[in-house]
Amino acid sequence: MKQNKYIVLLVEDEQNIRNLVATMLDTAGYQTIVAGSCSDAKTLYASYLPDLIILDLGLPDMDGMNLLNFVRQNALTPIMVLSARANETDKILALDSGANDYVTKPFSSGELLARVRAILRNHRFSAEEGRLPGGKFVCKDLSIDYDARQVFVKEEAIKLTQTEYNIIAFLSENCGKMMTYAAIIKAIWGDYAQEGSIKKLQVNMANIRRKIGDKPGEAEQNYITNELGVGYRLNE
Ligand code: CA
């Protein structure tokens, strides 16, 4: 295995698309491994532990959602769904099941590569030291140093627990987007069904918001918006 190369597992049964995307990824410098079915993908996933999975949903043996759920049982490996299914229900289901992004076919190669780069750049949780490029998130007076796993407000370091940090880092990856309770819980704890998980999230969120200085009732000035019963958004 070559060093310093991201491994991308491409799961796609249509040979034309598979070849096209694989060539595109190889040219862009990724190490690409391909699977044409869900069961092949599971085997390859287990032996290669890829940095990213690009996943078609319509596969011959099982629905691609099966692989998504399989991976999410115990790993936060970024997953980009690449599907012809364009309706909102499928998107929400995939995103809430832990997909990091959803690209609808047909797509342009430029768009796909940009989104691959964005996912890899933003994905921090499974970062083994030095393996992923560093970076910073800045939004008004709030900044996050992903390498140091440190959040700052007005350049003052905020003391967060590991879980609180993971949550705000996750929200920052999805800045501007309302993330459902289920989405956040899956990303952080990997299991939505766990009893009391929403309560646990709310407690952590309350602590984060207090620590970064968000005040109830000042929605305009706050970094984080809570849509009751739906989720949280880190505002752009
Ligand atoms: Ca397909």
Side-chain angles (χ1 to χ4, degrees), residues 88-228:
E88 282 195 348
T89 317
D90 285 322
K91 285 187 188 176
I92 290 170
L93 180 63
L95 292 171
D96 267 353
S97 301
N100 299 63
D101 202 355
Y102 195 108
V103 175
T104 308
K105 295 174 185 171
F107 53 87
S108 79
S109 58
E111 182 197 4
L112 188 74
L113 283 175
R115 288 165 83 162
V116 164
R117 279 195 301 271
I119 287 189
L120 289 170
R121 187 171 57 234
N122 291 335
H123 184 75
R124 309 286 161 188
F125 301 122
S126 61
E128 295 126 62
E129 287 77 19
R131 197 148 169 233
L132 295 179
K136 248 186 169 165
F137 170 85
V138 180
C139 170
K140 289 185 283 182
D141 290 330
L142 178 85
S143 66
I144 302 175
D145 181 333
Y146 293 117
D147 284 339
R149 293 175 61 83
Q150 180 64 62
V151 174
F152 299 88
V153 173
K154 295 191 171 87
E155 291 175 5
E156 190 185 324
I158 306 298
K159 215 168 159 25
L160 297 177
T161 66
Q162 290 296 316
T163 302
E164 289 164 4
Y165 172 81
N166 286 341
I167 293 171
I168 196 166
F170 174 72
L171 290 177
S172 74
E173 284 183 17
N174 301 284
C175 183
K177 185 176 169 193
M178 179 62 64
M179 302 307 293
T180 63
Y181 295 139
I184 302 170
I185 290 163
K186 283 229 170 173
I188 304 304
W189 291 285
D191 184 7
Y192 182 58
Q194 214 181 321
E195 210 189 321
S197 53
I198 289 184
K199 184 75 201 154
K200 191 162 65 171
L201 172 63
Q202 287 170 331
V203 169
N204 275 280
M205 287 303 310
N207 289 336
I208 294 169
R209 301 183 76 189
R210 178 175 42 79
K211 289 177 181 179
I212 64 175
D214 271 3
K215 295 190 179 66
E218 291 181 20
E220 292 296 302
Q221 275 105 61
N222 286 346
Y223 295 110
I224 293 171
T225 299
N226 178 20
E227 197 175 310
L228 225 61

Side-chain angles (χ1 to χ4, degrees), residues 56-67:
D56 177 28
L57 293 182
L59 294 167
D61 56 343
M62 281 172 258
D63 193 288
M65 287 298 295
N66 191 288
L67 180 73

Side-chain angles (χ1 to χ4, degrees), residues 9-22:
L9 171 59
L10 170 62
V11 190
E12 169 65 74
D13 62 318
E14 286 162 66
Q15 209 180 349
N16 288 343
I17 299 179
R18 193 167 67 216
N19 291 346
L20 175 83
V21 176

